[in-house]
Amino acid sequence: MSSSQLNAQPLHCRYHLSGKGIPWVFIHGLLGSGDDWQHVIAHLPAGHNWLCLDLPGHGGSRDVKVSQQAGFAETAALIAACLNQLNIHLCHLVGYSLGGRIAMYFASQYPQYINTLVLESAHPGLTHSAEQTARLSHDQAWATRFAQQPIDHVLTAWYQQGVFDDLTPKQKSALCQIRAHNHGPAIAHMLMATSLGRQANLTPNLQNAKYPIRYFVAENDAKFSAIAKLLTQQVPQLDLQPFPEAGHNIHWAKPLEYAQILEQRVGLQR
């Protein structure tokens, strides 16, 4: 698989843009990088265009910082700058977890770039100020640990959270090894800049969207299955795609099935 890398600002990314069709643009979750999507890309039909971004504080964008007050807006502007630099004017935007929340925000601010929005295990936003305050406090506690403690110790605790209950001890250990390259203070900064507690409720933006929306959720992910069910009631044009025998990180657990569904349900919309 041939690819190129863009190391200069605004964000580090890997891409293949000499193929056919509307590009797939992939946004990873917290602690990840654009490399997380390579197993999915490997199963897409040969010759497709794709772009994998490293978010601020992650991977090759480790030294890129956004402000605590405008983290979503500044991250979206950096993504738009990447697309412009690579002459991408329309894309299938795919985002997982934090990447899904950023994708939702980006689509709300830059809808002209969106052919299809694909959200994986992504929260549209909290609706009550008490929930937002509680989430900020929760994220601040984790950010303090990431900033001050050895990354391997924090990762071990991170993957004990309920949202990762579907993972076996062996899988959790593997993820800890994969994520151990992260720089704790950079992760802490991005965690607080894009906390769910700072995110606006983006459900109204989804309701008013003029592009198709796909929501990928794992049947074993109880929290996000409930969120997905509510979204299908609130957003008529949202198409729900459940994945059996998978947990929160679907593309990591089932890259082949993920790629097949992307191609079948999204890729035909060119």
Side-chain angles (χ1 to χ4, degrees):
M1 176 177 58
S2 63
S3 65
S4 300
Q5 296 194 40
L6 184 65
N7 296 299
Q9 301 289 3
L11 292 173
H12 178 268
C13 59
R14 293 181 63 191
Y15 58 89
H16 173 78
L17 296 174
S18 59
K20 60 183 179 181
I22 295 171
W24 306 85
V25 175
F26 296 93
I27 309 180
H28 62 82
L30 189 76
L31 295 166
S33 73
D35 290 344
D36 291 0
W37 298 100
Q38 292 306 308
H39 292 298
V40 172
I41 290 168
H43 291 297
L44 290 172
H48 280 228
N49 290 316
W50 54 266
L51 166 66
C52 296
L53 296 161
D54 286 353
L55 288 173
H58 294 74
S61 303
R62 165 179 156 172
D63 296 329
V64 180
K65 279 191 175 183
V66 292
S67 72
Q68 300 284 294
Q69 296 74 27
F72 285 95
E74 292 177 13
T75 301
L78 288 168
I79 293 171
C82 283
L83 298 184
N84 290 337
Q85 189 170 344
L86 292 169
N87 202 31
I88 297 174
H89 304 296
L90 190 67
C91 69
H92 301 304
L93 185 61
V94 185
Y96 159 67
S97 195
L98 167 61
R101 296 194 286 113
I102 290 171
M104 269 184 276
Y105 183 87
F106 177 87
S108 73
Q109 301 300 305
Y110 301 92
Q112 67 272 23
Y113 289 96
I114 309 301
N115 181 274
T116 312
L117 178 63
V118 181
L119 306 171
E120 175 192 347
S121 310
H123 203 305
L126 301 170
T127 56
H128 302 292
S129 59
E131 293 177 313
Q132 294 170 330
T133 300
R135 181 56 184 252
L136 275 173
S137 178
H138 171 272
D139 286 349
Q140 181 62 70
W142 277 111
T144 299
R145 296 183 70 173
F146 276 116
Q148 298 179 359
Q149 298 177 13
I151 188 71
D152 55 335
H153 293 179
V154 187
L155 289 172
T156 299
W158 180 263
Y159 286 110
Q160 297 306 312
Q161 295 182 94
V163 73
F164 301 113
D165 280 349
D166 68 290
L167 298 176
T168 66
K170 184 177 180 179
Q171 289 173 322
K172 291 179 181 180
S173 177
L175 278 172
C176 287
Q177 292 179 15
I178 292 170
R179 305 306 191 206
H181 70 279
N182 279 292
H183 182 57
I187 295 297
H189 185 88
M190 187 61 173
L191 174 58
M192 290 310 298
T194 55
S195 168
L196 182 60
R198 298 190 193 277
Q199 178 184 314
N201 177 20
L202 297 171
T203 300
N205 300 88
L206 298 178
Q207 291 170 329
N208 295 324
K210 305 302 182 184
Y211 40 77
I213 304 168
R214 309 282 185 249
Y215 194 98
F216 289 5
V217 66
E219 291 181 352
N220 294 345
D221 188 346
K223 175 181 177 180
F224 281 88
S225 290
I227 290 171
K229 182 179 179 180
L230 181 59
L231 274 177
T232 58
Q233 298 169 358
Q234 297 174 326
V235 184
Q237 73 271 38
L238 183 142
D239 179 47
L240 181 64
Q241 177 62 56
F243 283 75
E245 301 177 3
H248 187 64
N249 191 331
I250 305 166
H251 67 276
W252 181 74
K254 292 199 165 188
L256 173 58
E257 294 92 332
Y258 198 100
Q260 289 174 336
I261 290 172
L262 279 181
E263 173 62 13
Q264 294 163 6
R265 304 295 293 275
V266 180
L268 295 178
Q269 298 167 4
R270 296 192 178 93

